[in-house]
């Protein structure tokens, strides 16, 4: 086992208060990516 | 009045049925044909496979819901396609065979005006000798019953480890052309966390085995993503997580035979090797169902509908990897020969892989097949439903399009269960199929929309999605506000 994640980073990843705000941020950001529309590619690029 | 027949009630078939029923008036019939009696939220199978969820938390029976929502339902499987009808039945139909109840074994012809083939993949365990869930200490989490079975075996092994047994756990892909590496990735991280929770981690060697050339390929050729203030490759991100968790890996491995506790595989270097294990979870190859199709004279026209999976509006011209483009990928999922047949989700035949194809020195193709699971399945099913609704309402042309080359996807990979100890690796990708012309400097993806995050929030998000999507699938009030 090789420690690749520092203690401070691990604290950030697992702290419930920080992660609560990260949860809100992630939810919005993911919503924007996946609900941000989709379409064809052929007309746009041809 | 139109009759729309949907084959399959997985994510894709169920999404199509729900949207069609909501938007079409009652004079139109929506009929679902599926051999399964339950709807299952497949992404949560991972948690059934580690004993942290019960099957009944991820599934519900379809028949009562469909009855309530005025969707017809036949628990049967399709056997043959007849898109021109025949001498006896003038309109297009599919032949189905009932699988349960008093009608079990009965054959019936189901006519249709529009057909949505959402039959998904066949879990082709038979393509790997000896790979059969529950035998040879190898398991699967592809269905809830497989996942339950896997948990019982893993739990048994954990109990033995508590008595001092040393164990080797092998998780990954069970065939040289498997896809769905993401599910195996989630499972290995969850299993590793459960071993720590049971205080037996030190007694276990946990090994990832995959047909990927690099870690983090996920069948999408890997991604370059934003991670905090950094830009890193998905291979680097996964390597960081695996090393931190003490997980070893074997890459470029085409598993070809399973014996009791032994996985035999071929490497890209052409070597034949084997790995022993006490517990394995290996994702099988996915294949088409081997359906046959016939014209009105009963001549075999299977090649007009299928190339393994169903043919749609993709460019199937064989070309080298360097010439692949996003324009090869389908936009409407309509069969080119029969315009009233569509195949969203996993049921459509992809034009080619997404990951660079690689062949071993012995000529064996060892590289991931393209994923179309989860979010893309739902999005493509909805756009197919919207196009059918437009056509029924007299609109010309298909206006709803969704190429995997112009669509984002989120992979919220659970990395461990628990409200305070859990973790998730959240990765979004835009587009799913890399567009090297549009984004030449970022490996075909748009940075910002392609990003990764690791932490407790990822677990909460996956759990929130679990409840949200089951709410949506149950078609509860305002379900349609939740995006695919």
């Amino acid at each position: 086992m090789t420690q690749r994640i520092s203690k401070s980073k691990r604290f950030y990843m697992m702290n419930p208060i920080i992660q609560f705000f990260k949860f809100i941020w992630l939810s919005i950001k993911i919503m924007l990516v996946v609900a941000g529309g989709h379409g064809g590619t052929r007309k746009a690029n041809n | 009045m139109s009759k729309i027949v949907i084959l399959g009630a997985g994510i894709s078939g169920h999404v199509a049925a729900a949207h069609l029923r909501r938007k079409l008036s009652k004079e139109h019939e929506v009929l679902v044909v599926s051999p399964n009696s339950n709807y299952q939220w497949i992404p949560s199978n991972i948690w059934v496979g580690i004993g942290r969820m019960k099957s009944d938390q991820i599934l519900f029976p379809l028949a009562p819901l469909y009855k309530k929502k005025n969707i017809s339902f036949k628990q049967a499987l399709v056997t043959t396609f007849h898109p021109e009808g025949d001498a006896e039945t003038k309109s297009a139909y599919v032949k189905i065979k009932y699988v349960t109840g008093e009608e079990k074994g009965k054959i019936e012809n189901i006519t249709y005006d529009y057909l949505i083939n959402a039959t998904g993949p066949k879990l082709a365990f038979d393509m790997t000798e000896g790979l059969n869930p529950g035998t040879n200490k190898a398991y699967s989490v592809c269905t809830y019953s497989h996942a339950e079975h896997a948990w019982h075996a893993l739990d048994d092994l954990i109990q033995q480890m508590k008595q001092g047994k040393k164990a080797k756990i092998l998780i990954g892909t069970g065939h040289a052309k498997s896809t769905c590496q993401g599910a195996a990735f989630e499972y290995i991280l969850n299993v590793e966390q459960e071993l720590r929770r049971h205080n037996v981690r030190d007694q276990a060697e946990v090994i990832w085995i995959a047909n990927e050339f690099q870690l983090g390929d996920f069948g999408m050729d890997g991604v370059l993503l934003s991670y905090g203030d950094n830009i890193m490759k998905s291979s680097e991100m996964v390597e960081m997580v695996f090393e931190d968790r003490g997980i070893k890996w074997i890459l470029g491995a085409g598993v070809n035979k399973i014996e009791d506790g032994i996985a035999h595989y071929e490497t890209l270097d052409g070597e034949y090797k084997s790995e022993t294990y006490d517990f394995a979870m290996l994702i099988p190859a996915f294949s088409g169902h081997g359906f046959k199709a016939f014209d009105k004279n009963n001549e075999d026209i299977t090649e007009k509908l299928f190339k393994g999976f169903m043919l749609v509006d993709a460019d199937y011209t064989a070309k080298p990897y360097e010439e692949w483009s996003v324009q090869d990928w389908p936009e409407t999922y309509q069969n080119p020969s029969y315009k009233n047949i569509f195949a969203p989700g996993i049921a459509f035949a992809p034009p080619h892989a997404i990951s660079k194809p690689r062949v071993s020195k012995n000529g064996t193709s060892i590289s991931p097949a393209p994923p179309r699971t989860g979010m893309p399945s739902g999005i493509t099913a909805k756009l197919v439903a919207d196009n059918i609704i437009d056509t029924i309402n007299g609109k010309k042309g298909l206006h709803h399009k969704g190429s995997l080359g112009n669509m984002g996807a989120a992979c919220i990979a659970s990395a461990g269960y628990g409200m305070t100890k859990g973790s998730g690796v959240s990765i979004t990708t835009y587009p799913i199929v890399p567009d090297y012309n549009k984004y030449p400097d970022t490996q075909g993806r748009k940075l910002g929309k392609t990003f990764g995050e690791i932490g407790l929030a990822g677990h909460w998000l996956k759990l929130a999605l679990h409840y949200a999507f089951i709410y949506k699938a149950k078609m509860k009030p305002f379900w349609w506000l939740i995006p695919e």
Side-chain angles (χ1 to χ4, degrees):
Chain A
M1 211 169 285
T2 309
Q3 188 180 335
R4 288 287 308 271
I5 298 171
S6 66
K7 283 185 178 172
S8 60
K9 186 71 181 167
R10 200 180 302 277
F11 173 80
Y12 174 85
M13 285 176 177
M14 300 308 291
N15 182 288
I17 297 164
I18 296 170
Q19 290 295 307
F20 173 75
F21 292 103
K22 181 63 89 179
F23 172 75
I24 306 284
W25 178 85
L26 263 180
S27 304
I28 295 167
K29 192 150 186 197
I30 286 172
M31 188 75 86
L32 289 175
V33 172
V34 300
H38 50 265
T41 54
R42 291 169 192 158
K43 276 184 186 170
N45 287 351
N46 284 343
Chain B
M1 177 200 150
S2 295
K3 180 177 179 183
I4 304 110
V5 173
I6 299 157
L7 305 174
I11 291 177
S12 190
H14 188 68
V15 163
H19 283 285
L20 284 163
R21 187 66 288 163
R22 177 177 162 256
K23 292 177 181 173
L24 284 175
S25 61
K26 283 184 181 172
E27 62 175 344
H28 303 289
E29 184 183 357
V30 178
L31 167 65
V32 174
V33 176
S34 170
N36 302 317
S37 59
N38 293 318
Y39 175 85
Q40 60 167 324
W41 179 242
I42 293 170
S44 296
N45 281 351
I46 298 303
W47 291 332
V48 175
I50 54 161
R52 301 301 291 269
M53 268 195 182
K54 299 287 180 200
S55 288
D56 57 11
Q57 289 174 271
I58 68 162
L59 61 82
F60 61 84
L62 287 164
L65 176 71
Y66 284 166
K67 191 177 177 188
K68 188 176 160 191
K69 297 291 178 182
N70 196 28
I71 296 170
S72 309
F73 178 57
K74 290 178 188 287
Q75 196 179 340
L77 51 83
V78 63
T79 57
T80 52
F81 291 67
H82 304 262
E84 299 171 7
D86 59 17
E88 287 176 17
T89 310
K90 294 298 173 195
S91 58
Y93 73 90
V94 285
K95 205 177 273 291
I96 66 165
K97 185 179 178 182
Y98 288 86
V99 296
T100 189
E102 288 177 3
E103 293 181 308
K104 187 176 179 181
K106 183 184 150 195
I107 306 284
E108 188 179 344
N109 294 349
I110 303 288
T111 59
Y112 61 82
D113 296 304
Y114 299 92
L115 181 70
I116 298 178
N117 173 19
T119 45
K122 177 189 165 195
L123 301 174
F125 291 102
D126 56 340
M127 286 173 69
T128 305
E129 187 185 341
L131 182 64
N132 185 24
T135 59
N136 294 327
K137 301 191 187 87
Y139 298 85
S140 147
V141 290
C142 293
T143 68
Y144 59 86
S145 54
H146 289 172
E148 265 184 0
H149 206 175
W151 165 239
H152 291 312
L154 182 64
D155 186 34
D156 188 42
L157 183 62
I158 288 172
Q159 299 314 316
Q160 290 177 49
M161 289 163 77
K162 284 180 177 174
Q163 304 302 316
K165 180 184 169 76
K166 300 263 184 196
K168 197 189 268 188
I169 293 172
L170 188 67
I171 294 174
T173 53
H175 188 269
K177 299 296 294 174
S178 291
T179 183
C180 226
Q181 286 77 11
F185 173 68
E186 285 189 83
Y187 194 59
I188 198 168
L189 295 177
N190 273 272
V191 167
E192 196 275 335
Q193 170 145 323
E194 288 305 300
L195 295 176
R196 276 188 281 131
R197 193 167 73 88
H198 288 279
N199 298 316
V200 292
R201 179 65 183 92
D202 291 344
Q203 285 152 256
E205 192 179 355
V206 183
I207 302 170
W208 171 256
I209 186 165
N211 53 1
E212 303 167 305
F213 180 68
Q214 282 190 314
L215 288 173
D217 182 284
F218 295 134
M220 300 189 298
D221 228 4
V223 291
L224 187 72
L225 44 80
S226 312
Y227 177 64
D229 296 331
N230 303 316
I231 295 170
M232 65 159 63
K233 293 177 182 173
S234 53
S235 56
E236 296 165 338
M237 189 185 210
V238 174
E239 185 180 314
M240 178 180 80
V241 173
F242 275 10
E243 282 197 338
D244 196 67
R245 298 274 195 105
I247 296 170
K248 298 172 184 172
W249 58 86
I250 300 166
L251 297 174
V255 174
N256 49 35
K257 187 179 177 184
I258 301 293
E259 290 181 310
D260 188 21
I262 308 169
H264 298 275
Y265 63 96
E266 181 182 344
T267 67
L268 283 167
D269 292 333
E271 292 180 66
Y272 292 97
K273 295 184 171 180
S274 59
E275 191 67 48
T276 58
Y277 61 83
D278 297 283
F279 172 90
M281 197 295 290
L282 299 168
I283 303 282
F286 288 1
S287 74
H289 292 269
F291 294 128
K292 290 277 182 192
F294 299 92
D295 69 5
K296 59 187 171 190
N297 300 316
N298 246 351
E299 297 290 328
D300 190 320
I301 52 160
T302 303
E303 80 287 349
K304 277 180 145 181
L305 260 75
F306 298 102
K307 186 184 172 189
F309 293 95
M310 183 167 259
L311 293 165
V312 292
D313 60 320
D315 180 354
Y316 292 105
T317 313
K319 52 182 104 168
Y321 172 74
E322 292 70 22
E323 292 175 23
W324 290 357
S325 84
V326 285
Q327 284 80 26
D328 300 339
W329 287 79
E331 297 181 331
T332 61
Y333 307 89
Q334 182 184 46
N335 179 260
S337 302
Y338 297 97
K339 304 290 184 188
N340 59 345
I341 300 180
F342 299 83
I346 307 177
F348 79 85
H352 43 66
I354 302 173
S355 297
K356 186 175 182 177
R358 294 173 199 273
V359 178
S360 79
K361 286 184 179 171
N362 307 313
T364 309
S365 179
I366 305 175
S367 50
R372 285 98 80 204
T373 47
M375 197 169 287
S377 283
I379 292 172
T380 54
K382 182 172 183 287
L383 76 89
V384 163
D386 285 337
N387 279 327
I388 290 174
I389 292 162
D390 281 356
T391 309
I392 289 171
N393 291 334
K395 263 194 186 175
K396 298 283 179 203
L398 303 180
H399 300 281
H400 299 274
K401 293 180 178 179
S403 163
L404 266 57
N406 187 4
M407 183 189 297
C411 173
I412 315 299
S414 172
Y417 193 93
M419 286 309 285
T420 56
K421 304 274 186 193
S423 182
V425 179
S426 313
I427 296 175
T428 63
T429 307
Y430 182 88
I432 299 166
V433 175
D435 189 335
Y436 294 103
N437 291 327
K438 234 176 182 176
Y439 311 109
D441 301 327
T442 48
Q443 297 185 359
R445 302 305 188 331
K446 185 174 184 178
L447 285 181
K449 279 187 161 184
T450 303
F451 68 93
E453 275 295 330
I454 306 172
L456 181 57
H459 172 71
W460 292 344
L461 193 57
K462 173 128 182 150
L463 201 59
L465 291 176
H466 164 91
Y467 290 112
F469 280 108
I470 287 180
Y471 180 93
K472 180 182 170 77
K474 286 182 174 174
M475 299 165 74
K476 293 200 170 182
F478 303 107
W479 62 267
W480 38 269
L481 289 174
I482 300 170
E484 283 18 87

